[in-house]
Amino acid sequence: MKARISSYILDFKQPAGTSRGVLRQKQSFFLHLYDEQGRYGLGEVGVLRGLSIDDRPELEAQLSWTAENIEQGLEALYEANREFPSIQFALEQAFSHIEHGFLHFDTPFSRAEAPVAINGLIWMGEEAFMVDQIRKRLNEGFRTLKMKVGAIDWAVEEKLLRSIRGQFRAEDLELRVDANGAFDLHSALKVGDVLRDLEVHSIEQPLPVNDRRGLAEVCARMTIPVALDESLIGVFDRHEKEALLDELRPQYIILKPSFIGGWRGSDEWIECAEQRNIGWWATSALESTVGMNAIAQWASTKELVLPQGLGTGSLYTNNIPAPLQVEGGLLKITGNVQHGWDLGSLK
């Protein structure tokens, strides 16, 4: 078996505002496998600059080493990349792809028989820009919206949320907010009271990751459910995962496979969470359709209670053509999942 690494720059259709700044491009790496039978395998290394634990100078050297040592196989290489979760996920995808093509998991979703409900994403920006996004997502049929908060004036963000809730009851439209660690404890608790009154479903990562004491307090005291996202990054050992959940006691955790060791790492987080009656949902880390397909099919093997965060595939002008479609707030596979892919730009 042989392997190589390629890089691909995804261009956003419009600048994507987060509490960490504005994104205009997103770089992904791809792991390509070739075996003696002429089969091909592809996996996306979904690193996100400034957030992934493996966004560090050694990443590209580790990718090269992994490709050069591909004969060691999935098990050995997965363990060797313990501190590079995006490479672990790419390995899982590529070895699965070489065996099964793009049908990673045989589920009703991957057979194009049942869609997966997803949330619509509202990026940060000026008030008029955010209002325009909200209108578009609602017109597209989304019944769950996730709004980024914490980067602009909270009074503006509160006004937007009140406007949405004034038009749509909670039973008709679910609202989630994602703070990306933008608040302190005092501010988060005050914001939480407003969000409770507006019947917001949950708030993601209200406090920074390094404020463990504050996170434990906010999870205990906030008047709406807290979902932890960035707090999961860099926690590799199962005992450390259990200790984090026991200490912080969030109501939900959010799983980005590229950040937490792919399918296996996500499964372990789910096991730890469900033992503690903690809910979860999966979301992308802005992967291309290659990684998105892998996450969505994996998620579809679970009993999904909540809409998933898998609506980012349409963000790019040059995404990899694939048989994935978002319609009416649902992510669907159109036709046979093995067909409709155009990988020419990756080769």
Side-chain angles (χ1 to χ4, degrees):
M1 184 178 290
K2 295 182 179 180
R4 69 178 180 89
I5 303 295
S6 68
S7 172
Y8 190 76
I9 303 296
L10 292 155
D11 297 314
F12 283 88
K13 292 177 181 177
Q14 58 190 22
T18 74
S19 60
R20 297 180 183 83
V22 176
L23 303 175
R24 291 177 173 82
Q25 291 184 319
K26 193 267 181 186
Q27 181 183 29
S28 276
F29 295 94
F30 288 89
L31 172 65
H32 307 259
L33 302 187
Y34 309 87
D35 72 4
E36 296 77 5
Q37 289 78 47
R39 296 183 301 174
Y40 172 68
L42 179 68
E44 181 170 0
V45 183
V47 65
L48 191 57
R49 299 300 186 186
L51 187 55
S52 300
I53 192 70
D54 42 13
D55 173 28
R56 54 197 217 224
E58 310 95 275
L59 174 65
E60 294 191 43
Q62 185 68 19
L63 282 167
S64 297
W65 178 90
T66 300
E68 291 164 3
N69 290 273
I70 203 67
E71 290 289 352
Q72 291 188 24
L74 174 60
E75 299 304 322
L77 290 173
Y78 185 91
E79 185 58 33
N81 281 286
R82 183 175 176 81
E83 296 185 4
F84 294 87
S86 65
I87 302 179
Q88 290 180 314
F89 190 27
L91 285 162
E92 289 181 318
Q93 294 171 59
F95 276 92
S96 171
H97 187 224
I98 211 166
E99 289 290 334
H100 311 294
F102 281 112
L103 183 69
H104 294 298
F105 298 93
D106 189 8
T107 68
F109 170 77
S110 58
R111 295 193 300 270
E113 297 169 4
V116 170
I118 61 174
N119 63 244
L121 187 60
I122 309 300
W123 292 96
M124 291 173 171
E126 297 296 328
E127 181 177 1
F129 169 69
M130 295 181 74
V131 169
D132 183 58
Q133 288 183 86
I134 291 165
R135 287 175 179 157
K136 286 179 179 177
R137 297 295 88 79
L138 294 175
N139 288 337
E140 289 163 356
F142 284 95
R143 287 296 167 260
T144 301
L145 295 183
K146 171 181 162 180
M147 193 172 106
K148 300 280 187 176
V149 296
I152 62 175
D153 187 351
W154 164 243
V156 172
E157 295 164 345
E158 179 184 347
K159 178 183 173 183
L160 286 170
L161 289 166
R162 289 192 183 280
S163 174
I164 299 170
R165 188 52 83 219
Q167 300 173 61
F168 298 91
R169 300 176 304 169
E171 48 266 44
D172 298 323
L173 178 67
E174 180 179 284
L175 292 174
R176 301 172 179 173
V177 298
D178 182 3
N180 290 126
F183 298 114
D184 58 29
L185 176 62
H186 177 71
S187 299
L189 292 174
K190 290 178 65 177
V191 166
D193 289 341
V194 173
L195 298 177
R196 173 202 58 202
D197 294 342
L198 294 174
E199 298 181 88
V200 170
H201 173 269
S202 56
I203 182 170
E204 294 182 31
Q205 201 70 41
L207 273 60
V209 171
N210 57 5
D211 187 4
R212 290 277 285 258
R213 180 177 296 179
L215 281 167
E217 189 167 349
V218 86
C219 288
R221 294 179 56 194
M222 209 157 195
T223 49
I224 67 163
V226 173
L228 294 185
D229 180 357
E230 288 92 339
S231 287
L232 278 56
I233 297 173
V235 183
F236 304 121
D237 181 77
R238 185 186 183 104
H239 295 301
E240 293 176 355
K241 295 174 183 178
E242 292 174 334
L244 182 141
L245 295 180
D246 286 338
E247 177 185 356
L248 303 186
R249 288 287 172 180
Q251 285 72 45
Y252 297 100
I253 57 173
I254 299 171
L255 307 172
K256 288 186 171 77
S258 290
F259 288 2
I260 57 175
W263 295 322
R264 298 187 199 187
S266 300
D267 283 339
E268 189 168 81
W269 273 111
I270 289 173
E271 290 174 10
C272 295
E274 289 184 343
Q275 289 170 2
R276 293 160 175 78
N277 295 314
I278 295 170
W280 65 272
W281 65 85
T283 187
S284 78
L286 302 180
E287 291 88 353
S288 76
T289 50
V290 175
M292 182 74 72
N293 174 61
I295 298 170
Q297 286 196 38
W298 164 80
S300 73
T301 67
K302 315 297 181 183
E303 286 191 36
L304 299 181
V305 177
L306 299 167
Q308 306 296 293
L310 300 174
T312 58
S314 60
L315 293 175
Y316 304 114
T317 61
N318 59 339
N319 211 335
I320 313 304
L324 292 169
Q325 177 183 348
V326 175
E327 182 179 329
L330 302 171
L331 179 65
K332 303 176 180 180
I333 288 177
T334 57
N336 188 319
V337 73
Q338 304 288 21
H339 303 146
W341 292 85
D342 182 356
L343 305 180
S345 57
L346 299 181
K347 296 184 176 180

